[in-house]
């Protein structure tokens, strides 16, 4: 069973940056698609950035130009670089492997990102 441990969250002021890390363990192919999701208080979890098996990336419109997803297969780690953060980015951030509208594996504990104005 694949497990995820997310880290790197914290509290930053608007305009600041954070780099999230997701270390995965268990049997997973290095080309398996990965994604970063977030869930703000009172809202549904949403996919904000995805890295496809062919290496292409896609980000949600609200974070385009600010968030970048990448991976280091040697370290079993997926990253989310977040720049120019705003209060609307406040949420718990999770990683997982997208499978259509669903995900392949159980969720980790996530990492909290709080952006103050």
């Amino acid at each position: 069973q694949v497990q995820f441990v997310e880290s790197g969250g914290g509290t930053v002021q608007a305009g600041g940056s954070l780099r999230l890390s997701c270390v995965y363990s268990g049997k997973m192919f290095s080309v398996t698609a990965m994604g970063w999701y977030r869930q703000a208080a009172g809202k549904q979890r949403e996919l904000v950035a995805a890295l496809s098996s062919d290496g292409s990336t896609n980000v949600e419109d609200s974070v385009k130009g600010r968030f970048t997803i990448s991976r280091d297969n040697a370290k079993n780690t997926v990253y989310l670089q977040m720049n120019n953060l705003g209060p609307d980015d406040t949420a718990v951030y999770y990683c997982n492997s997208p499978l259509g509208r669903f995900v392949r594996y159980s969720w980790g504990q996530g990492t909290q990102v709080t952006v103050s104005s």
Side-chain angles (χ1 to χ4, degrees), residues 55-77:
S56 61
T57 62
N58 190 37
V59 295
E60 195 263 334
D61 285 347
S62 68
V63 306
K64 197 163 291 184
R66 301 188 298 120
F67 289 14
T68 303
I69 185 172
S70 62
R71 75 192 298 168
D72 184 338
N73 289 328
K75 295 182 178 180
N76 283 5
T77 302

Side-chain angles (χ1 to χ4, degrees), residues 73-95:
N73 289 328
K75 295 182 178 180
N76 283 5
T77 302
V78 179
Y79 302 101
L80 185 67
Q81 178 66 44
M82 307 187 296
N83 299 324
N84 194 22
L85 287 161
D88 287 347
D89 298 316
T90 295
V92 180
Y93 285 72
Y94 305 84
C95 65

Side-chain angles (χ1 to χ4, degrees), residues 2-67:
V2 174
Q3 294 183 318
F4 303 106
V5 178
E6 300 93 344
S7 64
T11 301
V12 296
Q13 290 189 330
S17 298
L18 285 173
R19 188 195 197 200
L20 306 183
S21 298
C22 165
V23 178
Y24 53 88
S25 60
K27 195 171 183 179
M28 185 168 69
F29 292 112
S30 62
V31 295
T32 299
M34 287 295 297
W36 278 97
Y37 297 76
R38 69 183 180 187
Q39 186 169 21
K43 295 187 177 181
Q44 288 190 333
R45 188 151 28 197
E46 62 175 350
L47 177 65
V48 294
L51 180 60
S52 300
S53 57
D54 64 1
S56 61
T57 62
N58 190 37
V59 295
E60 195 263 334
D61 285 347
S62 68
V63 306
K64 197 163 291 184
R66 301 188 298 120
F67 289 14

Side-chain angles (χ1 to χ4, degrees), residues 32-35 37 47 50 96-105 107:
T32 299
M34 287 295 297
Y37 297 76
L47 177 65
N96 211 312
S97 179
L99 183 63
R101 294 172 53 231
F102 305 98
V103 295
R104 285 187 169 87
Y105 307 109
W107 296 101

